[in-house]
Amino acid sequence: MKLFTRRPGRRPTPKVAKRLGIVGGVMISALVLMAVFAPLLAPYDPTERVGAPFQPPSAEHWLGTNDVGQDLLSELIYGARVSLTVGIVAAIVALILGTTVGVLAGYYPKRLGKVLMQSVDVILILPFLPLLIVLAAYLGRSLLNTIVVIGVLIWAGPSRVIRSQVLSLRSREYVLASRTMGAPDRWAIVRHVLPRTALLATGTFVRAVSTAILLEAALSFLGLGDPLQKSWGSILFWAQSRGAFLTPAWKWWVLPPGLMIMIASLGFALVAFAMEERINPRL
Amino acid sequence: MKKRIAIPILLLCLALVAAACSSDTDDATTTTGGDGGSSDTTTTTEGMTEASVLRAAITGDEDTINPYTYISGFPGWNLLMMQYDSLMQLDANGEPQPWLAETVTTNEDLTVWTLKIVDGVTWHDGEPLTAEDVEFSLEYFMEKATGRFSRDLSSVEDVTSDDTTNEVVITLGATNPSFDLVALADVPIIPEQVWAEIDTPGEATYDISTNVGSGPYMLVEYEAEQFYRFEANPDYFRGAPQVDELVVVVFADDSGALAAIRSGEVDVNFERVSPEQIDLLAGQGGLEIAQGPEFTTQMINFDASKAPFDDLAVRKAMSLAIDAQDIVDTVFLGAATVGSPGWVHPDKAVYNPAVQPEFDPAAANAMLDDAGYADSDGDGVREYDGEPMAFELITNSSDSLRLRIAELTAEMLAEIGMDITVASVETATWEEAVWPGFDINNGRNYDIATWGWSAPIQANTIRVAELVNSDPSIGFLNLTGFSNPDVDTLSAALLTEADEAAFETGIMELQQLIADNVPFVMLAYPDGAYVYNADVYSDYEFIAGQGIVSKLSFLPDSARP
Amino acid sequence: MTSHGSPAFDPAATSAAHDAALEIRDLRVRFTTPTRTIHAVNGVDLDVAPGEVFALVGESGSGKSVSMLSVMGLVESPPAEVTGSITFGGRQLLGLPRREMNAIRGRDIGMVFQDPMSSLNPVHRVGRQIMEAIRLHEAVSKDEARKRAIDLLDRVGIPSASRRVDDYPHEFSGGMRQRVMIAIALACNPSLLIADEPTTALDVTIQRQIVTLVKDLQRDLGMSVIWITHDLGVVAEIADRVAVMYGGRIMERGTARAVYEDATHPYTTGLLHSIPRTDNALTEWLPEIPGTPDQITEEPTACPFHARCPLTEHDCTSGVPVLEVAGPDGHESACLHHTSVGDGDMLWPIQDREIPDPVLPSDDPVIEIEGLKVHFPIHRHGAKRGAAVRAVDGIDLTIRDATTLGVVGESGCGKSTLGRTLVGLVEPTEGRVLVHGEPLDSSSGPHRRVVQMIFQDPFSSMNPGMRVADIVAEPMRIHGIGTPEDRLSRVRDLLASVGISPDVAERYPHEFSGGQRQRIAIARALAADPDVIVCDEPVSALDVSVQAQIVNLLRETQMATGISLIFIAHDLAVVRHISHEIAVMYLGQVVERAPRDAIYDEPLHPYTKALLAAVPAPSPTAERSTAPTLEGDLPDPSDPPSGCRFHTRCPVAVEGLCDTDVPELRIVDDLRWVSCHLVESTIEITPPSPEPVGSGT
Amino acid sequence: MRRIGLKNLDRYLLVFVVAVSLNFLLPRLMPGNPLALIAGVDVGLMTPDERAEIITAVGLDEPLLTQFIDYWKAVLTFDLGFSYKSGRPIVEMITERLPWTLLITVGSLMVSAVIGIVLGGWSAWRRGKKTDLSMLTGMISLQSLPSFWLGMLLISVFAVQLGWFPSFGAETPASSYEGMARVGDILEHAILPIVTLTVLSIPGVYMTMRYSMLEVLGSDFIRTARAKGASERRVLFGHVARNAIAPVVTFLAIRFAFAFGGSVIIETVFSYPGLGRLIFEAVSGRDYPVMQAAFLVFTVAVIVANLVADLLYPVLDPRMRVE
């Protein structure tokens, strides 16, 4: 009964979040399918020069061609591969780092946790994008570096969320109970803390994918990614470096990859939102 | 629910579509639209030859433009020379002509140069410009290193001046046939009354008051990273400039500058327009493109000091496999001249037309087969010394055209069984690999690389010796570690050849030698293309190899050499 | 007004109803969620007369709070659907326009809520919050309102009110905040005050203060009071009339005396019999009400209590019984068989349990606590270096084989920390704990099997993602006891022994009620085959009607297995029913320790006396303790008072002695240890016996 | 005596130390030769002696530790040295750039704070209703916009196609605008960057405000306020909004830090002469001292923003006040 009387502001409408999540899921699935079946879907090999440079859309090239005559539609379709891979792998890096640090810091809040959280704080306070750029510039351009840089910089936020969850789990009585039974920390962490953190961690992971996709695009756009990798960000990099957004070409060269980035990021953000609502309904 | 999501996206799309639709009709008017970019024009005839204010765009700040602070060779030096004069001035053909020096005479072996300075030239501060100022300038640069100008004058042994005759005599340590081009047309003359007080120019603080020159323009205002304002020097000794005020706006990158010229916020772009913009811009309102040959180069370097590039067959095959014409057409959209394998630009007087680019992948494959580079394991990649011919082609990421060149080159080399991976790296990393510490004595850390030289090296043909001679003191720009005794001998001899005819014969021969031995693969000389708004001002002078950014563009025709 | 049969009023009741301040008819509240509908209130009729203190008693989920929130119009609608009629001072409140309802709230009806910690706006000064209540309804100047706010604070017993009026809520203790809440509720002299469990979150000593305050205020102001509570003890002290709710309906209603002494509903008698109390004769077992209260998710068609009622007959399920006259003074009962209820002794007998081979208490110590100190350093910025909360500050105790040690004290006295230290959750700062003579090591390992723990909150003490079988088997798996098959059969045995059908072992915790979970928790603790179980407030989170089941189960378990229990509680009545020996804690120290009967019959320490006096007796005619109420709050445990720590609140403290000299904990009488200067001086000191012996029952 | 906001001082100090050390180390760990930037493009034409001279002059031949100590000394005395590239004093470059970045970040922050708080509050008040849900969906979508892309589109549409706003820079170059005309000119230039940053900032403010509001709406003291007879409007403004604002302030500090850092991208897209463009140029140009200094200023700005939030928080939430 408390549910209704104590919190008059809370109105359980999980359906909405769920529906948004489904919409997001559909968006992600579509993009994943596009990435997987890129060779079937794309009319051309995106690395091959199949037309004259700077062609506007035509029957042969629905989105025209880029500056060296590669088919933009094919680039766009293949771009899903790199963008999604970077997003997901970077998020996995962040997930592993964030969960490890979050769980350790949450479970050992005293000395170890303090040190860990201090480093998390430092990372969170440091100016994010400038640091990202400095790091990316330092490491050089490759897909792997992009992934590492993004992963290494975005784990701090999730690790904080996970830590506070673990911190609360840690004092949850069933964890205390297992400790009073004489269970080693490992037991409590593996049996009680991790399973109860998994959903939250997955939620932050999905959110991290969304962030990572945007960051990859930004890095590629700034020319700090590998411009020869066919990602949506690098399509925009070429559009920018060859001035396409100042010409009519922005309609087929700038708009579509940006929309793809947005859809990808949005898809994951919606799923993350739905998951967050499930974990901690606030809608 | 789907509807709810759809709404914002739909709205966004609508806005974009609306903008997209409107663009076609608006294009015609945008040149006069925009904000605050209205430039006052004084005549209304087609193609303006006079303007009260001209706004020009450059990319990147050039600091306080004086001989010790300007940053880039282009357009930094060109802006510098708006305020200063050199003893000689390049004409439309890129040939040095007397300028501050009324006459330039030289002795037989080209070691003593006598210059008669124009009488009655005054500095911006009203002081007369005398032969002593010239002597002072040259000695100052030789004494206090600036890099470029010190190097220009490195062969100078002695400078004397005579104020009564207004003559300067420069004595060189050795024959230097291109001293006029390299030094006299390059070194700015600075006023003694200003610079005599500056002991350590590297550490001095400069402001506009130190920017006293004798040139057609005077810097009157400078906001770092934002703009320079030059005012015309009405008393300029060759005649008052046709543009009263020159505002040079600093942009972060090309696209900003392009947007600005399209919207009418600036009237000319001092930076080259990249090839894909040429047609687009040319179609816009009053925008026109000044296009012409330039002496910058695009090439492929390799480390010829190590296997397999030490083998002429490999180098030759690579050169045959790379279709320079395709690169010109695809990357430069035709706005470039196909590179001559003998280095020299076809527009140069000493160009050897017998040396022609060849594209013949079949011959290249045959050449490699003959030389024993077989693809023994059938993976499409040849081997050498048991290693697959797989290499990294390193290029600087900040140059998107080079990135594309690298991409295309890799594609072409794949046809002859070479597996090329393009590595796009930070400019500094790329420089460090190709030219470690900017000193070829440090060796090389690359297999294949994109490269290019700036205009001055091509402009002075004999500087090719610096690229191909294996003696580090001569060939200090020999980045490919190339070594060929014939090339060495000939290039060294030509450096001091005072006889014009002998030099011409020699340089023709050298071009053939270079083409035969392939120290690098020449790809193209991109054309200079400059966009300007003809409704504001159109009387630009295109100097071959230099473009339109020079004082000539703003002087009346009568004042031009 | 629709009604399920017009209840017949006797003349007195009718006249009371006639000028009733509040009249509720057939109030029904339903909450609709996407997954289900909950019928929270199912036809409540109620009248509260002017100047009357009316108590609404019921367990959680009985609909008592929702009913009163409906009166205030504070039930969010939707999801709630409120029907029926609520008239106040002749005006129909249900469906009143918001503006008019706002004018009534706060001015005519004031309300005090359960949790004083969260019911005040943390960002406004308390004065401002009181002033707001005044100025919302009366056009008075700021200065005037402020003056009245100070008066009100003074009135509700906030010391130096004129200074504290500018403090923020977080600068007040829980009890003080509840006083501020009362001041807000009374700001406009309402004719009705609704107090929704106002003392539930407070210590028993503070509860006493609040009850007294409200009683005094009610007398002075002549308003009506509706006091919502689950605690029958408080009701007996304050209420003129009582209504007992169950399952969203009123089960019984009448004057307090009638309801307590002549209860005519099985549920009421069941509660009165099953709750532990301090004022009756001790019995080995408590009578139990079987089953647990359920949420009602369908339109009720039967007596809501029928499933748990010993009197249930066929007709109990054929319709919803309505209130009928069951005695004089408007005493009504909603039981069809109220005439056969009697005094309840027959309905709720003490059921003797056969323990085949009971283990009797012995004198062998299982746990010895020596000089135990647990200090928690304070890291807060601005705290002095080395500052620490002295949660446990020098305790010596012995727990004997097969006995129960009850540990009582106000919240913050360190009793829970003591319990946690015993199971190794907290590292001692000083001193040590010996288990069977071996020092306890707080690292993990098999030695930790010996002491197990049962927690207060049955909802958080089980991993919601694990099956009951796995939960109970966890200690065995941790210690690698037996094969999986062995463990499963042991789990089934254990579940059966705590009264849970082994067939449900594959279910998840959320499918069980609080009482059932606490049973499972006991089974889990037993699975480790421990020698001692620390029970930290094991029944305080449970429904009143279920507490007795758990107390009995623990007692039974002890007799069957010979296990020792440390029973930590703030409720002296519960402790009494299970302990052999009692230790009273104050600010990290034991102030009195004695065999059970000695403590309850003749408490020696002034603190013990005050604690006992504060326990409300669930009988309106019970002899009220004459001991003075304890003043003020618990001092800051990081900076305990000098001398006797209790001297700041002690009614008999002697200046120059109690505030300077620290009293020793000494044996003062046979088996009794007290730390009080004054006790020592009055009682002949007997030579300390080496080991105090626990008294059996 | 209240001592407020100092609780995190040690943390910020640590961040500062780490940032200073990091930004000293990172550029030095990078490949590439700074010489080209000190000497300009003509470095290749210099003799080895000339090069060595320059390296000595800027101290690159010192042991790393010495450089490190010198660096700290310099940082603590606000002597940020000279740019390798332009030779200008860095303090001057930064003081030139900083106001522009502050203009667009603070400007966008203020606009997005107002819009975000109003929309978030409205959304929470109408929780579960159509407006709430569509706004929520819209905000999640906005969050997924790539910032640079948005900037590019805005330039394409509003500067190039429609010509309503200038496409680059902070002021009309070399204009002689004075007084209000200049202010107007600056605002005109700042609009597109501010719009971009604002669009990107609103969702975060909105979400924070909405969640914070929902949290507050569910708290007991709101019921107390209603029980006092407060009207909905009074509950909303006197209690809910006031209480919900504190987390938003913290968020705004974080958002400021983010927008400030994000200026790297926005200023690059809009050729806006702020600190973001400076650091991007310095990074790609290996201008060590400028990169270090700009990064440092970023860090300090972020720390200051956090400090301000820490100082403001107790003002908004008395529970945070340390006695």
Side-chain angles (χ1 to χ4, degrees), chain A residues 1-2 4-5 8 11-12 172-174 176-184 187 191-192 196, chain C residues 31 33 69 76 423 444-445 448 452 455 457 460-466 474 477-479 524:
Chain A
M1 228 63 277
K2 290 266 187 287
F4 306 106
T5 53
R11 182 200 311 251
R172 217 57 77 78
E173 292 179 343
Y174 58 84
L176 295 183
S178 82
R179 284 173 61 198
T180 67
M181 291 166 204
W187 175 282
R191 297 265 161 183
H192 296 298
R196 307 305 301 169
Chain C
F31 292 98
T33 73
L69 286 169
E76 185 91 346
V423 293
S444 64
R448 292 271 297 281
Q452 293 295 318
F455 294 88
D457 183 359
S460 94
S461 63
M462 275 160 219
N463 187 334
M466 281 167 74
E474 190 178 1
R477 293 181 62 187
I478 289 171
H479 295 295
R524 173 172 63 179

Coordinates of all heavy atoms in Angstrom, one line a residue, chain A residues 1-2 4-5 8 11-12 172-174 176-184 187 191-192 196, chain C residues 31 33 69 76 423 444-445 448 452 455 457 460-466 474 477-479 524:
Chain A
M1 N 0.8 -1.2 0.0 CA 0.0 0.0 0.0 C 0.9 1.3 0.0 O 0.5 2.2 -0.6 CB -0.9 0.0 1.3 CG -2.3 0.3 1.0 SD -3.0 -1.0 -0.1 CE -2.5 -0.5 -1.7
K2 N 2.0 1.1 0.7 CA 2.9 2.2 0.7 C 3.2 2.8 -0.7 O 3.4 3.9 -0.9 CB 4.2 1.8 1.4 CG 4.1 1.5 2.9 CD 4.4 2.7 3.7 CE 4.5 2.4 5.2 NZ 3.1 2.3 5.7
F4 N 1.6 3.3 -3.1 CA 0.7 4.3 -3.7 C 0.6 5.6 -2.8 O 0.4 6.7 -3.3 CB -0.7 3.7 -3.9 CG -0.6 2.5 -4.8 CD1 -0.8 1.3 -4.2 CD2 -0.3 2.6 -6.1 CE1 -0.6 0.2 -5.0 CE2 -0.2 1.5 -6.9 CZ -0.3 0.3 -6.3
T5 N 0.6 5.3 -1.5 CA 0.3 6.5 -0.7 C 1.6 7.3 -0.4 O 1.6 8.5 -0.3 CB -0.2 6.0 0.7 OG1 0.6 5.0 1.2 CG2 -1.6 5.4 0.4
P8 N 3.1 9.6 -4.1 CA 2.0 9.9 -5.0 C 2.5 10.3 -6.4 O 1.8 10.2 -7.4 CB 1.3 11.2 -4.4 CG 2.4 11.7 -3.5 CD 3.2 10.6 -3.0
R11 N 3.9 6.8 -10.8 CA 2.8 6.1 -11.5 C 3.5 5.0 -12.4 O 4.2 5.3 -13.3 CB 2.1 7.1 -12.4 CG 0.9 6.6 -13.1 CD 0.6 7.5 -14.2 NE 0.6 8.9 -13.7 CZ -0.5 9.6 -13.6 NH1 -1.7 9.0 -13.9 NH2 -0.5 10.8 -13.2
P12 N 3.2 3.8 -12.1 CA 3.9 2.8 -12.8 C 3.4 2.7 -14.3 O 2.2 2.3 -14.5 CB 3.6 1.5 -12.1 CG 2.6 1.9 -11.0 CD 2.2 3.3 -11.2
R172 N 23.3 -5.0 1.9 CA 22.0 -5.7 1.8 C 22.2 -6.9 2.8 O 23.3 -7.5 2.8 CB 21.8 -6.2 0.4 CG 20.4 -6.2 -0.1 CD 19.7 -4.8 -0.1 NE 20.1 -3.8 -1.1 CZ 19.6 -3.9 -2.3 NH1 18.9 -4.8 -2.8 NH2 20.0 -2.9 -3.1
E173 N 21.1 -7.3 3.4 CA 21.3 -8.3 4.5 C 21.7 -9.6 4.0 O 22.3 -10.4 4.6 CB 20.1 -8.3 5.4 CG 20.1 -6.9 6.2 CD 18.9 -6.8 7.1 OE1 17.9 -7.6 6.9 OE2 18.9 -5.9 8.0
Y174 N 21.3 -9.9 2.7 CA 21.6 -11.3 2.3 C 23.1 -11.4 2.0 O 23.7 -12.5 2.1 CB 20.8 -11.8 1.1 CG 20.8 -10.9 -0.1 CD1 21.8 -11.0 -1.1 CD2 19.8 -10.0 -0.4 CE1 21.8 -10.3 -2.2 CE2 19.8 -9.2 -1.5 CZ 20.8 -9.4 -2.5 OH 20.8 -8.6 -3.6
L176 N 25.4 -9.6 3.8 CA 25.9 -9.7 5.2 C 25.7 -11.1 5.7 O 26.6 -11.7 6.3 CB 25.1 -8.7 6.1 CG 25.3 -7.3 5.8 CD1 24.6 -6.4 6.8 CD2 26.8 -6.9 5.8
A177 N 24.5 -11.7 5.4 CA 24.2 -13.1 5.8 C 25.3 -14.0 5.3 O 25.8 -14.8 6.1 CB 22.8 -13.5 5.4
S178 N 25.6 -13.9 4.1 CA 26.6 -14.9 3.5 C 27.9 -14.7 4.2 O 28.7 -15.6 4.4 CB 26.7 -14.8 2.0 OG 27.5 -13.7 1.7
R179 N 28.2 -13.4 4.6 CA 29.5 -13.2 5.3 C 29.4 -13.7 6.7 O 30.4 -14.3 7.2 CB 29.8 -11.7 5.3 CG 30.2 -11.1 4.0 CD 30.4 -9.6 4.0 NE 31.3 -9.2 5.0 CZ 31.4 -7.9 5.5 NH1 30.5 -7.0 5.0 NH2 32.3 -7.6 6.4
T180 N 28.3 -13.6 7.3 CA 28.2 -14.2 8.7 C 28.3 -15.7 8.6 O 28.7 -16.3 9.6 CB 26.9 -13.8 9.4 OG1 25.8 -14.5 8.7 CG2 26.7 -12.3 9.4
M181 N 28.0 -16.3 7.5 CA 28.1 -17.7 7.4 C 29.5 -18.1 7.2 O 29.9 -19.3 7.2 CB 27.3 -18.2 6.2 CG 25.8 -18.1 6.3 SD 25.1 -18.3 4.7 CE 23.5 -17.5 4.9
G182 N 30.4 -17.1 7.0 CA 31.8 -17.4 6.8 C 32.2 -17.5 5.4 O 33.3 -18.0 5.1
A183 N 31.4 -17.0 4.5 CA 31.7 -17.0 3.1 C 32.8 -16.1 2.8 O 32.9 -15.0 3.4 CB 30.5 -16.7 2.3
P184 N 33.8 -16.5 2.0 CA 34.8 -15.5 1.6 C 34.2 -14.4 0.7 O 33.2 -14.6 0.1 CB 35.8 -16.4 0.8 CG 35.1 -17.6 0.4 CD 34.0 -17.8 1.4
W187 N 33.0 -15.4 -2.7 CA 31.7 -16.0 -2.7 C 30.6 -14.9 -2.8 O 29.7 -15.0 -3.7 CB 31.5 -16.8 -1.5 CG 30.1 -17.4 -1.3 CD1 29.0 -16.8 -0.9 CD2 29.7 -18.8 -1.7 NE1 27.9 -17.6 -0.9 CE2 28.3 -18.8 -1.4 CE3 30.4 -19.9 -2.2 CZ2 27.6 -20.0 -1.6 CZ3 29.6 -21.0 -2.3 CH2 28.3 -21.1 -2.1
R191 N 28.4 -14.8 -6.0 CA 27.1 -15.3 -5.9 C 26.0 -14.3 -5.8 O 24.9 -14.5 -6.2 CB 27.0 -16.2 -4.6 CG 27.9 -17.4 -4.7 CD 27.1 -18.6 -5.2 NE 28.1 -19.5 -5.7 CZ 27.8 -20.7 -6.2 NH1 26.5 -21.0 -6.4 NH2 28.7 -21.5 -6.6
H192 N 26.4 -13.2 -5.1 CA 25.3 -12.3 -4.7 C 25.5 -10.9 -5.4 O 24.5 -10.4 -6.0 CB 25.3 -12.0 -3.2 CG 25.0 -13.2 -2.4 ND1 23.7 -13.9 -2.5 CD2 25.7 -13.9 -1.5 CE1 23.7 -14.9 -1.7 NE2 24.9 -15.0 -1.1
R196 N 23.3 -9.6 -9.1 CA 22.4 -8.5 -8.9 C 22.9 -7.2 -9.6 O 22.1 -6.3 -9.6 CB 22.2 -8.3 -7.4 CG 21.8 -9.4 -6.6 CD 20.6 -10.2 -7.1 NE 19.4 -9.3 -7.1 CZ 18.3 -9.7 -7.7 NH1 18.2 -10.9 -8.3 NH2 17.3 -8.9 -7.7
Chain C
F31 N -7.0 0.7 -6.0 CA -5.8 1.1 -6.8 C -5.7 0.2 -8.0 O -5.7 -1.0 -7.9 CB -4.5 1.0 -6.0 CG -4.4 2.0 -4.9 CD1 -4.8 1.6 -3.6 CD2 -4.0 3.3 -5.1 CE1 -4.7 2.5 -2.6 CE2 -4.0 4.2 -4.1 CZ -4.3 3.8 -2.8
T33 N -3.4 -0.9 -11.1 CA -2.1 -0.9 -11.8 C -2.3 -1.7 -13.0 O -3.3 -2.4 -13.2 CB -1.0 -1.5 -10.9 OG1 -1.2 -2.9 -10.9 CG2 -1.1 -0.9 -9.5
L69 N -6.0 9.2 4.4 CA -5.5 10.0 3.3 C -6.6 10.4 2.4 O -6.6 11.5 1.8 CB -4.4 9.3 2.6 CG -3.1 9.2 3.3 CD1 -2.1 8.2 2.6 CD2 -2.4 10.5 3.4
E76 N -3.7 9.9 -4.5 CA -3.5 10.2 -5.9 C -4.6 9.5 -6.8 O -4.7 8.3 -6.7 CB -2.1 9.9 -6.4 CG -1.8 10.3 -7.8 CD -1.2 11.8 -7.8 OE1 -1.3 12.5 -6.8 OE2 -0.7 12.1 -8.8
V423 N 29.2 -11.7 14.8 CA 29.2 -12.6 13.6 C 30.3 -12.1 12.7 O 30.4 -12.6 11.5 CB 27.8 -12.5 12.9 CG1 26.8 -13.2 13.7 CG2 27.4 -11.1 12.5
S444 N 37.1 -14.8 6.9 CA 36.1 -15.8 6.5 C 36.7 -17.2 6.7 O 37.9 -17.3 6.9 CB 35.8 -15.6 5.0 OG 37.0 -15.9 4.2
G445 N 35.9 -18.1 6.8 CA 36.3 -19.5 6.9 C 35.4 -20.3 7.8 O 34.4 -19.9 8.2
R448 N 33.6 -19.7 11.2 CA 32.5 -18.7 11.3 C 31.2 -19.4 11.3 O 30.1 -18.7 11.4 CB 32.6 -17.7 10.2 CG 33.9 -16.8 10.4 CD 33.5 -15.6 11.2 NE 32.5 -14.9 10.4 CZ 32.8 -14.1 9.4 NH1 34.0 -13.9 9.1 NH2 31.9 -13.5 8.8
Q452 N 25.7 -17.6 13.8 CA 24.9 -17.2 12.7 C 24.0 -16.0 13.1 O 23.9 -15.7 14.2 CB 24.1 -18.4 12.1 CG 24.9 -19.5 11.6 CD 25.7 -19.0 10.3 OE1 25.2 -18.3 9.5 NE2 27.0 -19.4 10.2
F455 N 18.4 -11.5 10.4 CA 18.3 -10.0 10.3 C 16.9 -9.5 10.4 O 15.9 -10.3 10.4 CB 18.8 -9.6 8.9 CG 20.3 -9.8 8.7 CD1 20.7 -11.1 8.3 CD2 21.2 -8.9 9.0 CE1 22.1 -11.3 8.1 CE2 22.5 -9.1 8.9 CZ 23.0 -10.3 8.4
D457 N 15.1 -7.3 8.5 CA 14.3 -7.1 7.3 C 14.1 -8.4 6.5 O 15.1 -8.8 5.8 CB 14.8 -6.0 6.4 CG 13.9 -5.7 5.3 OD1 12.9 -6.4 5.2 OD2 14.2 -4.8 4.5
S460 N 15.0 -7.9 2.7 CA 16.3 -7.7 2.1 C 17.3 -8.8 2.5 O 18.4 -8.8 2.1 CB 16.8 -6.3 2.5 OG 17.6 -6.4 3.6
S461 N 16.9 -9.7 3.4 CA 17.9 -10.7 3.9 C 18.0 -11.9 3.0 O 18.7 -12.8 3.3 CB 17.6 -11.1 5.3 OG 16.4 -11.7 5.4
M462 N 17.3 -11.9 1.9 CA 17.4 -13.0 0.9 C 17.7 -12.5 -0.5 O 17.0 -11.5 -0.9 CB 16.2 -13.8 0.9 CG 16.2 -14.9 2.0 SD 14.5 -15.4 2.3 CE 14.7 -15.5 4.1
N463 N 18.6 -13.1 -1.1 CA 18.9 -12.7 -2.5 C 17.7 -13.0 -3.4 O 17.3 -14.1 -3.5 CB 20.1 -13.5 -3.0 CG 20.6 -13.0 -4.4 OD1 19.8 -12.5 -5.2 ND2 21.8 -13.2 -4.7
P464 N 17.0 -12.0 -3.9 CA 15.8 -12.2 -4.6 C 16.0 -13.0 -5.9 O 15.0 -13.5 -6.4 CB 15.3 -10.8 -5.0 CG 16.5 -9.9 -4.9 CD 17.4 -10.5 -3.9
G465 N 17.2 -13.2 -6.3 CA 17.4 -14.0 -7.5 C 17.7 -15.5 -7.2 O 17.9 -16.3 -8.1
M466 N 17.6 -15.9 -5.9 CA 17.9 -17.3 -5.6 C 16.7 -18.0 -5.2 O 15.8 -17.4 -4.6 CB 19.0 -17.3 -4.5 CG 20.4 -17.1 -5.0 SD 21.6 -16.8 -3.7 CE 21.8 -18.4 -3.0
E474 N 22.8 -22.3 1.3 CA 24.0 -21.5 1.1 C 25.1 -21.8 2.2 O 26.3 -22.0 1.8 CB 23.7 -20.0 1.0 CG 24.9 -19.2 0.6 CD 24.5 -17.7 0.5 OE1 23.4 -17.3 0.7 OE2 25.5 -17.0 0.1
R477 N 26.9 -25.0 1.5 CA 27.7 -24.9 0.3 C 29.0 -24.1 0.6 O 30.1 -24.5 0.2 CB 27.0 -24.3 -0.9 CG 25.9 -25.1 -1.4 CD 25.2 -24.5 -2.5 NE 26.1 -24.4 -3.7 CZ 25.7 -23.7 -4.8 NH1 24.5 -23.2 -4.9 NH2 26.5 -23.6 -5.8
I478 N 28.8 -23.1 1.4 CA 30.0 -22.3 1.7 C 31.0 -23.1 2.5 O 32.2 -23.1 2.2 CB 29.6 -21.0 2.6 CG1 28.9 -20.0 1.7 CG2 30.8 -20.4 3.2 CD1 28.3 -18.9 2.5
H479 N 30.5 -23.9 3.4 CA 31.4 -24.7 4.2 C 31.6 -26.1 3.6 O 32.2 -27.0 4.3 CB 30.9 -24.8 5.6 CG 30.9 -23.5 6.3 ND1 32.0 -22.8 6.6 CD2 29.8 -22.7 6.7 CE1 31.7 -21.6 7.1 NE2 30.4 -21.5 7.2
R524 N 17.8 -21.1 7.3 CA 19.1 -20.9 6.8 C 20.2 -20.8 7.9 O 21.3 -21.3 7.8 CB 19.2 -19.6 5.9 CG 20.5 -19.2 5.5 CD 20.5 -18.1 4.5 NE 20.0 -16.9 5.2 CZ 19.9 -15.7 4.5 NH1 20.3 -15.6 3.3 NH2 19.5 -14.6 5.2

